[in-house]
Amino acid sequence: NAGVTQTPKFQVLKTGQSMTLQCAQDMNHNSMYWYRQDPGMGLRLIYYSASEGTTDKGEVPNGYNVSRLNKREFSLRLESAAPSQTSVYFCASSQPSYSVEETQYFGPGTRLLVL
Amino acid sequence: GQQVMQIPQYQHVQEGEDFTTYCNSSTTLSNIQWYKQRPGGHPVFLIQLVKSGEVKKQKRLTFQFGEAKKNSSLHITATQTTDVGTYFCAGPSNTGNQFYFGTGTSLTVIP
């Protein structure tokens, strides 16, 4: 099992350009998440999807859109990139359960620089 | 809104010294999770605590959940260079659909 995979690993954009970050998981998890990580800020939730076909805003959704394409895939789109979106982006997935530990599994991250 | 705070932000210790990071939530949590992120890596799940006052151990790591279920701590005994990284706590939202991560504590171990 590959777990959670993300593409690309690195990306440099110019202000105003658009791009889509891809995420896929092969653990049959219902829930998927997009976080951004900035120095001193920890991990902040951008969007999440509790199940296929549903998406909800997290703490910092402005400037982003998401698509839960199917149970496996959850993409994050920047329509018009801004320097403030320079960050490391992590995708994660989990299987909600009240009886066992609900572990979040993270992908390797995408390092994005917006000039 | 719901907040999860963590202190200290940074900690430098000599190898062999102990280390503790503290996590405080603005709301009562149904459970709390701890993650470790190595430099350049991604967060990796360590443990989940569910019960009030719960204490769990993993070798040299001791995790504690407060009686009021609003705070937690991670204590590492006799740190080693392999302990280097950032430790995060995370608590679920009231709806349980999302997690709020603490700001993390970056641990440096000096050989």
Side-chain angles (χ1 to χ4, degrees), chain A residues 4 23 25 27-33 35 48-51 68 71 74 91-97 100-106, chain B residues 33 35 45 48 96-99 101:
Chain A
V4 180
C23 174
Q25 52 93 8
M27 295 172 283
N28 203 35
H29 286 169
N30 284 324
S31 298
M32 296 187 74
Y33 313 82
Y35 294 91
Y48 67 98
S49 171
S51 62
R68 183 75 183 267
K71 193 170 186 179
F74 189 36
C91 176
S93 71
S94 70
Q95 184 61 24
S97 170
V100 298
E101 290 178 337
E102 185 184 341
T103 304
Q104 288 193 66
Y105 294 87
F106 284 81
Chain B
Q33 299 181 356
Y35 290 78
F45 176 83
Q48 177 174 290
N97 287 335
Q98 56 179 298
F99 285 85
F101 277 77

Side-chain angles (χ1 to χ4, degrees), chain B residues 12-56:
Chain B
H12 292 70
V13 299
Q14 290 287 139
E15 189 172 16
E17 290 183 338
D18 292 356
F19 159 77
T20 304
T21 173
Y22 300 91
C23 179
N24 289 287
S25 170
S26 59
T27 60
T28 301
L29 300 170
S30 60
N31 67 78
I32 194 157
Q33 299 181 356
W34 284 92
Y35 290 78
K36 177 183 178 181
Q37 182 178 23
R38 295 184 187 277
H42 59 274
V44 175
F45 176 83
L46 292 176
I47 208 161
Q48 177 174 290
L49 304 170
V50 179
K51 300 176 185 175
S52 170
E54 187 171 14
V55 177
K56 285 188 177 180

Side-chain angles (χ1 to χ4, degrees), chain B:
Chain B
Q2 187 171 349
Q3 287 187 322
V4 178
M5 304 300 293
Q6 227 177 310
I7 56 169
Q9 190 173 356
Y10 302 97
Q11 184 80 59
H12 292 70
V13 299
Q14 290 287 139
E15 189 172 16
E17 290 183 338
D18 292 356
F19 159 77
T20 304
T21 173
Y22 300 91
C23 179
N24 289 287
S25 170
S26 59
T27 60
T28 301
L29 300 170
S30 60
N31 67 78
I32 194 157
Q33 299 181 356
W34 284 92
Y35 290 78
K36 177 183 178 181
Q37 182 178 23
R38 295 184 187 277
H42 59 274
V44 175
F45 176 83
L46 292 176
I47 208 161
Q48 177 174 290
L49 304 170
V50 179
K51 300 176 185 175
S52 170
E54 187 171 14
V55 177
K56 285 188 177 180
K57 293 192 176 185
Q58 289 179 349
K59 298 182 180 178
R60 294 177 294 103
L61 278 61
T62 301
F63 303 84
Q64 189 165 4
F65 201 9
E67 294 290 340
K69 302 183 77 172
K70 294 182 72 174
N71 58 74
S72 181
S73 64
L74 157 60
H75 179 83
I76 302 177
T77 303
T79 54
Q80 300 175 359
T81 54
T82 53
D83 296 324
V84 165
T86 302
Y87 293 84
F88 293 97
C89 61
S93 65
N94 294 334
T95 59
N97 287 335
Q98 56 179 298
F99 285 85
Y100 291 95
F101 277 77
T103 46
T105 294
S106 175
L107 173 63
T108 300
V109 179
I110 305 163

Side-chain angles (χ1 to χ4, degrees), chain A residues 72-93:
Chain A
R72 289 188 64 248
E73 299 172 287
F74 189 36
S75 62
L76 178 71
R77 182 161 178 83
L78 287 69
E79 289 291 351
S80 178
S84 60
Q85 293 178 305
T86 292
S87 187
V88 180
Y89 291 85
F90 288 102
C91 176
S93 71

